Amino acid sequence: MRSWRRAASVVLALSALAFALTNQSATADPGHSRFSFAVIGDIPYGDNQIADFPKVISQINADPDVRFVHHIGDIKNGSTVCSDDYFKLIKSDFDTFEDPLVYTVGDNEWTDCHRPNNGSYDPLDRLAAIRDVFFPQPGRTLGRNSVRVTSQADQGYPEDVRYTRANVAFAALHIVGSNNNMAPWTGNTSATPEQAAEVLGRTAAVVQEIRDTFAAAAHEHNKAVVLLTQADMFDPTVTDPSFADYYAFQPIVRAIAEESAKFRGPVYLFNGDSHVYNSDKPLDTGSQWLSFYGVKSVAPNLHRVTIDGSTDVGNWLKVTIDPGGKQVLSWTRVPFAHTR
């Protein structure tokens, strides 16, 4: 009888293990060991990069350290057509990533598609197409080894996702350039009512996602928080920024500042948009961005990294998490191999 019970216990244990392995989720990762993830964005731009993009993907796939990939938006340049066929082409490329891929939407693929050289589309139509093509299974990543993530699909924003990995809380946030889509579309001098409504709804969802991410991180005693977005809300390449070009980011920046200031560990913000690698602390004491956005919560623990992108990009960012390290994250720029 005892032998039978031991055998039954072993079978049940193995069944439970098999179930856990086949239903692994990125939302509740118990592992606290080192691992790396890749960050790319503002790519592919132009015919040469489009042709070489599969090689970039193969190079990232070949790195045994990489366990996750983030594309932080702008899957095309700002002066090419936003066609369904192009979206499907990039989606087919994305499908060849071996690791789970989280794609954060950029402005070039929908916000700026009103431009004549983009095809004079209704941007809201292009946003709907992006969601249809790139988020066919809300709550799951892209890539061949897809995993579950927590998404805002029930609110209409399947692209906003969060998960935990190696005791670090991640959130991918749909924040785009062109003043977060408040820049006037072709033929208009101000945002349309439909445009403004889209921005208000999406911004509210983003702010909620930020607060939910930090709340979960505090509850789970995570070592760090990582935010990923397309827009550069602190663009150092603009020497005299005008608030009229940035005001739609204000509630988001304030939420990031408030939550970062309360969090006891480091916070990292990865973004694209301005195309040139940069590493700084935009909400630290003395930063011009505090008064620019009317931010009262100083956040010296927020470290922002802008990744390289656009036509001159020649590398991808490899980020390594060491949960036992003081800074938790470190990174290096890895040159592309075999590209033009």
Side-chain angles (χ1 to χ4, degrees):
M1 181 65 72
R2 288 178 182 176
S3 298
W4 180 88
R5 286 177 177 174
R6 282 198 298 269
S9 297
V10 170
V11 171
L12 288 173
L14 290 174
S15 298
L17 176 61
F19 180 83
L21 290 174
T22 57
N23 290 274
Q24 59 182 318
S25 170
T27 61
D29 170 47
H32 294 174
S33 59
R34 287 170 59 101
F35 90 103
S36 297
F37 62 94
V39 185
I40 57 174
D42 298 277
I43 185 175
Y45 274 29
D47 291 341
N48 286 344
Q49 286 190 6
I50 293 169
D52 287 338
F53 194 46
K55 299 175 185 177
V56 171
I57 295 172
S58 295
Q59 181 182 354
I60 295 173
N61 284 343
D63 190 318
D65 299 330
V66 172
R67 308 288 183 84
F68 241 82
V69 181
H70 283 271
H71 190 298
I72 52 177
D74 278 8
I75 56 175
K76 57 178 283 296
N77 64 32
S79 58
T80 52
V81 175
C82 307
S83 68
D84 289 348
D85 287 343
Y86 184 79
F87 293 166
K88 291 174 182 177
L89 171 65
I90 300 303
K91 172 59 164 57
S92 68
D93 287 337
F94 280 0
D95 288 341
T96 64
F97 275 106
E98 294 291 344
D99 298 303
L101 167 68
V102 173
Y103 161 55
T104 306
V105 184
D107 58 348
N108 286 359
E109 48 263 44
W110 74 275
T111 305
D112 301 333
C113 295
H114 59 87
R115 298 170 180 171
N117 59 5
N118 278 228
S120 298
Y121 288 96
D122 176 349
L124 299 183
D125 171 79
R126 294 297 79 196
L127 176 56
I130 285 288
R131 286 174 174 150
D132 285 344
V133 172
F134 291 94
F135 303 94
Q137 292 182 287
R140 294 201 70 90
T141 68
L142 299 173
R144 288 175 176 165
N145 291 293
S146 173
V147 296
R148 292 194 302 274
V149 289
T150 300
S151 92
Q152 289 185 318
D154 58 344
Q155 299 177 53
Y157 305 98
E159 65 274 17
D160 286 338
V161 303
R162 57 189 176 91
Y163 64 93
T164 302
R165 208 70 170 175
N167 205 22
V168 173
F170 288 79
L173 308 166
H174 188 174
I175 312 167
V176 292
S178 300
N179 197 16
N180 204 22
N181 186 38
M182 283 300 285
W185 297 342
T186 301
N188 297 285
T189 57
S190 61
T192 68
E194 295 81 6
Q195 188 177 355
E198 187 284 324
V199 175
L200 286 173
R202 179 168 45 81
T203 298
V206 164
V207 169
Q208 178 187 332
E209 189 80 335
I210 292 168
R211 299 201 188 281
D212 288 349
T213 300
F214 278 93
H219 179 73
E220 297 296 329
H221 305 289
N222 294 143
K223 293 290 187 179
V225 171
V226 173
L227 308 177
L228 302 109
T229 186
Q230 191 269 332
D232 187 347
M233 299 177 285
F234 315 99
D235 191 345
T237 67
V238 179
T239 56
D240 187 21
S242 169
F243 189 67
D245 297 327
Y246 288 79
Y247 67 87
F249 299 128
Q250 187 178 52
I252 296 169
V253 172
R254 286 181 172 177
I256 292 174
E258 291 167 4
E259 296 297 336
S260 296
K262 293 186 295 183
F263 188 67
R264 293 188 175 184
V267 180
Y268 295 92
L269 171 62
F270 292 90
N271 65 260
D273 195 20
S274 52
H275 302 159
V276 180
Y277 175 81
N278 182 58
S279 174
D280 61 11
K281 294 188 174 185
L283 297 178
D284 200 354
T285 302
S287 171
Q288 64 164 334
W289 297 108
L290 295 172
S291 58
F292 183 85
Y293 283 114
V295 172
K296 297 180 180 179
S297 302
V298 178
N301 59 330
L302 175 68
H303 196 135
R304 187 276 293 267
V305 179
T306 300
I307 68 166
D308 288 311
S310 189
T311 53
D312 294 328
V313 64
N315 61 80
W316 55 279
L317 197 71
K318 181 177 179 178
V319 186
T320 298
I321 296 177
D322 180 3
K326 181 178 180 181
Q327 298 302 316
V328 186
L329 265 62
S330 61
W331 53 88
T332 184
R333 296 149 78 191
V334 181
F336 289 149
H338 311 300
T339 57
R340 283 168 258 195

